[in-house]
Amino acid sequence: MQDPDALISKKGLSRWGVAGLALFLVHIVLLCLPPLPPDVKGSLWDYLTAYPAVALLLVEWVRRHAAAARGWAGLSAGRRWAIGLGGAAGTFVLALAVRWLSPALYMRFSREEGLWEPLTLFLYLAAALLLLGVAAKLAAGERRHWRLIAGLYLIMGLEEIDYLGIFGGLIGRVQGIYAGSLHDLVILAVEGALSPAAWAIIAALFLLLVIVLAGSGYLQPRAILAMFARADFLWVVVGLGFLVGGAAAEAGLFELAARPPTLEESLELAGAICFFCYALSVAARLEPRAAPAPAPVPSSPSASG
């Protein structure tokens, strides 16, 4: 008897993908309903449907990321930009519409257990897995460079979720300002809540990290400059634009964006879409060269004779 998972795979999603999509649809429905108890800084059921769904979809992505890269490679540059920018802009327009029609629902979408952050987490982790898969097939020097970039995607994904703030917050505030994630440094900087000594410690830790990465061969200035010179790096530029806009909105630099509920999380999701498109573009460019050559077919004795 044929494996049921294999049967599903021929038609499309595996059982992991089907389960992940179904669970995430349940999650969206729950977000549209009043929070179910226990509700301590967010309903427990929203967490239990959002992040297991992300994990299941990542399992499905591992099966399909090489095919996704090949599909992206088959698109023209114009179609890639239309899909990527259309997705980023469409997401932001949808967020604006929800914010205008139902600020309360938008607020729920913007929470850790909401809609924007789990999707952002999935995109960053999926991009990291994609680049790690391609890097594994490259020569050692190039492999280290792209593993470093995949590591940056991993950090951006894991940093996106305020794990220490889930269900009450496990760390305190700096001069009354909550700081549960690295990006909260933006707010602390705007408010002047960090002393020169604190900035010196942060700078020293960053310098130490740079030294370690450079010494181990992962930080390669030439490879990074080569990234800047390629046209597909524009994805990163546009993505950074969305992220800067989200940070500015959260820090209250724009009056409209700063009024609760802020636009930070939806802008960050739009940025994550652009960063994901960059990872797809890199994989589409590297995968053909990275693919191992087929093993030579041994000649038959009669042919050699």
Side-chain angles (χ1 to χ4, degrees), residues 40-41 162-172 178 180:
V40 182
K41 200 186 177 187
D162 181 12
Y163 301 99
L164 297 178
I166 293 176
F167 294 109
L170 299 180
I171 64 175
Y178 182 75

Side-chain angles (χ1 to χ4, degrees), residues 89 91 96 102 106-107 122 174 179 200 206 209 219 251 253 287 290 298 301:
T91 297
L96 286 175
S102 178
Y106 180 86
M107 184 70 80
F122 171 80
V174 178
F206 179 76
L209 179 62
L219 184 61
L253 299 184
E287 182 69 33

Side-chain angles (χ1 to χ4, degrees), residues 254-291:
F254 303 114
E255 182 182 355
L256 173 64
R259 289 203 301 267
T262 70
L263 302 174
E264 178 199 11
E265 307 303 342
S266 51
L267 281 167
E268 288 179 349
L269 174 57
I273 292 173
C274 295
F275 278 97
F276 179 74
C277 289
Y278 177 67
L280 275 175
S281 299
V282 169
R285 171 163 44 89
L286 296 180
E287 182 69 33
R289 180 164 56 83

Side-chain angles (χ1 to χ4, degrees), residues 87-89 91-92 95 106 109-112 115-124 153 156-162 181-187 235 238-251 262-276:
T91 297
F92 185 55
Y106 180 86
F109 280 3
S110 299
R111 296 175 65 92
E112 299 290 327
L115 182 60
W116 319 127
E117 294 220 20
L119 289 174
T120 302
L121 176 67
F122 171 80
L123 289 171
Y124 282 135
Y153 272 98
M156 291 173 73
L158 297 180
E159 192 272 340
E160 188 62 31
I161 306 302
D162 181 12
S181 302
L182 287 175
H183 65 261
D184 290 326
L185 288 174
V186 175
I187 302 177
W235 284 113
V238 176
L240 284 174
F242 280 114
L243 296 189
V244 170
E250 180 67 10
T262 70
L263 302 174
E264 178 199 11
E265 307 303 342
S266 51
L267 281 167
E268 288 179 349
L269 174 57
I273 292 173
C274 295
F275 278 97
F276 179 74

Side-chain angles (χ1 to χ4, degrees), residues 68-95:
R70 290 192 296 270
W72 191 257
L75 299 176
S76 65
R79 291 194 67 185
R80 292 183 188 182
W81 282 100
I83 293 172
L85 289 182
T91 297
F92 185 55
V93 169
L94 173 64

